[in-house]
Amino acid sequence: MPNTSDESLDPQDWPSLRLQGHRMLDDMLDYLATLRARPVWQPIPAPLRAGFAQPLPQEGRALEEVHARFMQEVLPYAVGNAHPGFFGWVHGGGTPVGMLAEMLAAGLNANLGGRDQMPLEVERQVLHWMRELFGFPVTASGLFLTGTSMANMLALLVARFRALGPAVREQGLAGAGGARLLAYTSAGAHGCIAQALDLAGLGTAALRVIPMNDQFQIDTAALEAAIVADRAAGWQPFFVAATAGSVDVGAIDDLNAVADIARRHELWFHVDGAYGALAMLSPQLAPLLAGIERADSIAFDFHKWAQVPYDAGFILVRDGDLHRRTFDAPATYLRRDTRGMAAGSPWPCDFGPDLSRGFRALKTWFTIEVYGAARIGALIAETCALARYLAERVAEQAELELLAPVALNIVCFRHRAPDIDRFNAALVADVQESGRAAPSLTTLRGQTAIRVAVVNHRSGRQDIDALLDAVLTLGAARLAIPPQ
């Protein structure tokens, strides 16, 4: 018999829940359909912020009341990455299809740590697609994670296991026989690479940061020279992380050159492709990633260029057996069998630290199934075309100057002005607070830059034009302010 007691959290009135659920869904679809008419971002009023510092409620409220509060106090004050005028960071815009798939996953409430269940086959299907996309063997392993920061760390741990052997799992670095491990990456790499060294117990001092060339790529001659010098000094180089789509300018390292160096010196070759790796979906852009198929591991996010709702990170590892041996931890409550719910191993919990795992694969599977790889690849190429359009328009404005070549979809420029760094920092805040567009700031070789990342599938030339108009008009207004 169904539980009809007051203790159940299921509703007593299912028809009412269905009606309210339809309203909630309609509100979100209306929101997505009218994004361009809304501010990209707006500051949070102090009274609303204070309203989210209240004591723990002891009594519940009606669902419609809580939903109304969400619509009035939460939705209008999000960071705005679904908006076509959002260019601040490499955030995907999401899609209605992904949103609906997320709802299905939440209703199913599957734990994808293990057990014999069809949701695991959905995740394995995505893994199969990624092996195909990147030219990896059928024995390669893969895992959904929160994002590339975690995926980079898992890659480092697999590389550490290969370098130090199984003893590192029991005895830690103390049992490594005095090994002095070193990792390498570019000065343009994401900060999570250094964080991974920290969390793995190696320390950030075990990361050699290699300078960049004029194209903001890792200097491969400097990389090889550093490896040779470090080995001669008694260190054990073991890991190199190349970047496919750098955080500041979108640069892609020369992956074939890095792969050659890694092979010569027996280093683990990892690619941090947080967003750039999925340029492989575009026949136009894929040649820029030549050499990625030689990687020992690749980390990337579906929630960026593939437009899957947050979060949906992924790691792909060439040696699936090595990956499993880095993390598997048999326990009596995780007993495996050939039949029943204990069948179907190895399980995802054998390839990473999470036992409790959400069904991230479903929204990814839905997105790829509904839109297809070709369409996703085409929109990725279109964001790069929009970046080139912006760069052309910037070059036409006497008030502006480009600060870096446009490799993919990121444009870095600045407004000419006295006290130029302070001026551009203030100008970006002006543009954000206007609600018209949302660029961000970065620093390139000591210069403050306006950074525009074109990621959202909803963005078009009209949104690029609106951004540029905001920069120019608000820049002129700021220049007109009398000096104090």
Side-chain angles (χ1 to χ4, degrees):
M1 293 180 62
N3 185 352
T4 58
S5 71
D6 290 341
E7 283 73 25
S8 171
L9 294 179
D10 284 336
Q12 302 301 304
D13 187 352
W14 282 99
S16 176
L17 179 68
R18 291 178 189 274
L19 180 61
Q20 184 61 30
H22 285 307
R23 289 172 180 158
M24 294 168 73
L25 182 57
D26 284 345
D27 280 347
M28 290 310 299
L29 292 174
D30 288 344
Y31 165 73
L32 293 175
T34 59
L35 278 169
R36 192 171 270 109
R38 300 169 180 270
V40 181
W41 177 85
Q42 54 188 334
I44 303 169
L48 291 188
R49 195 186 297 272
F52 284 86
Q54 301 301 309
L56 177 70
Q58 296 300 314
E59 301 297 330
R61 300 172 63 188
L63 176 60
E64 54 268 29
E65 291 181 32
V66 179
H67 174 227
R69 190 176 180 202
F70 166 82
M71 293 299 298
Q72 296 162 14
E73 301 181 19
V74 177
L75 182 144
Y77 303 100
V79 76
N81 53 292
H83 195 289
F86 180 90
F87 303 110
W89 295 272
V90 184
H91 291 181
T95 67
V97 165
M99 180 187 75
L100 294 171
E102 188 82 305
M103 178 186 69
L104 296 178
L108 189 59
N109 196 31
N111 179 353
L112 269 72
R115 314 300 176 193
D116 193 15
Q117 52 175 315
M118 201 62 188
L120 288 188
E121 299 306 324
V122 175
E123 182 160 337
R124 288 166 182 152
Q125 169 68 90
V126 177
L127 168 59
H128 175 77
W129 287 338
M130 293 305 102
R131 289 178 184 138
E132 177 186 339
L133 180 65
F134 292 103
F136 270 42
V138 295
T139 51
S141 55
L143 193 70
F144 273 93
L145 298 153
T146 56
T148 295
S149 292
M150 285 298 298
N152 285 333
M153 186 175 76
L154 260 67
L156 183 83
L157 292 174
V158 179
R160 187 189 69 170
F161 181 86
R162 187 182 75 161
L164 300 180
V168 72
R169 296 193 60 185
E170 180 180 347
Q171 302 173 29
L173 298 179
R180 302 164 69 200
L181 297 184
L182 280 182
Y184 302 81
T185 198
S186 161
H190 195 280
C192 67
I193 301 294
Q195 184 186 54
L197 272 291
D198 175 10
L199 297 177
L202 300 174
T204 57
L207 180 65
R208 291 283 190 264
V209 178
I210 306 300
M212 298 179 289
N213 62 22
D214 291 342
Q215 300 299 308
F216 293 86
Q217 301 167 307
I218 191 169
D219 184 327
T220 53
L223 169 64
E224 186 150 31
I227 293 170
V228 170
D230 287 334
R231 182 161 279 140
W235 293 91
Q236 182 179 340
F238 82 109
F239 178 89
V240 57
T243 299
S246 65
V247 64
D248 283 326
V249 302
I252 299 173
D253 289 336
D254 185 337
L255 302 181
N256 266 319
V258 177
D260 288 342
I261 293 168
R263 180 172 296 176
R264 278 197 295 274
H265 298 281
E266 299 182 334
L267 273 65
W268 183 276
F269 173 37
H270 174 67
V271 175
D272 175 0
Y275 80 92
L278 287 180
M280 287 293 290
L281 292 166
S282 165
Q284 178 182 343
L285 300 174
L288 300 174
L289 293 163
I292 197 169
E293 73 282 355
R294 301 171 62 188
D296 291 302
S297 53
I298 307 171
F300 56 94
D301 293 323
F302 290 108
H303 56 234
K304 291 187 170 76
W305 252 348
Q307 312 296 326
V308 173
Y310 278 85
D311 52 46
F314 201 80
I315 184 170
L316 190 63
V317 180
R318 179 176 300 277
D319 188 338
D321 180 64
L322 182 70
H323 184 188
R324 180 188 56 78
R325 288 188 292 120
T326 304
F327 292 102
D328 64 355
T332 55
Y333 62 90
L334 295 176
R335 177 180 171 177
R336 316 302 165 85
D337 211 328
T338 57
R339 57 191 296 266
M341 295 175 70
S345 65
W347 295 337
C349 63
D350 298 321
F351 295 92
D354 293 326
L355 180 56
S356 298
R357 303 175 66 249
F359 196 0
R360 296 184 180 99
L362 188 65
K363 57 193 174 185
T364 306
W365 179 78
F366 257 84
T367 298
I368 297 172
E369 284 278 8
V370 170
Y371 297 113
R375 186 173 177 186
I376 297 171
L379 76 86
I380 288 172
E382 176 60 19
T383 62
C384 295
L386 288 172
R388 293 192 298 272
Y389 170 71
L390 174 58
E392 291 167 2
R393 290 221 53 204
V394 166
E396 295 168 354
Q397 312 301 318
E399 303 95 325
L400 308 178
E401 63 175 323
L402 284 170
L403 293 180
V406 177
L408 288 173
N409 64 325
I410 296 177
V411 183
C412 291
F413 64 99
R414 65 180 177 177
H415 198 294
R416 302 179 196 272
D419 196 4
I420 193 166
D421 289 342
R422 188 186 300 274
F423 180 91
N424 279 274
L427 177 56
V428 164
D430 291 343
V431 174
Q432 291 173 350
E433 290 176 352
S434 75
R436 296 162 65 183
S440 64
L441 284 170
T442 192
T443 301
L444 298 180
R445 294 175 175 151
Q447 298 175 317
T448 296
I450 300 172
R451 177 179 174 275
V452 176
V454 189
V455 186
N456 195 331
H457 61 97
R458 301 181 180 95
S459 301
R461 286 198 173 197
Q462 69 268 42
D463 303 297
I464 299 295
D465 292 340
L467 162 75
L468 199 60
D469 180 69
V471 168
L472 291 171
T473 56
L474 293 172
R478 180 160 285 280
L479 283 171
I481 298 173
Q484 296 183 356

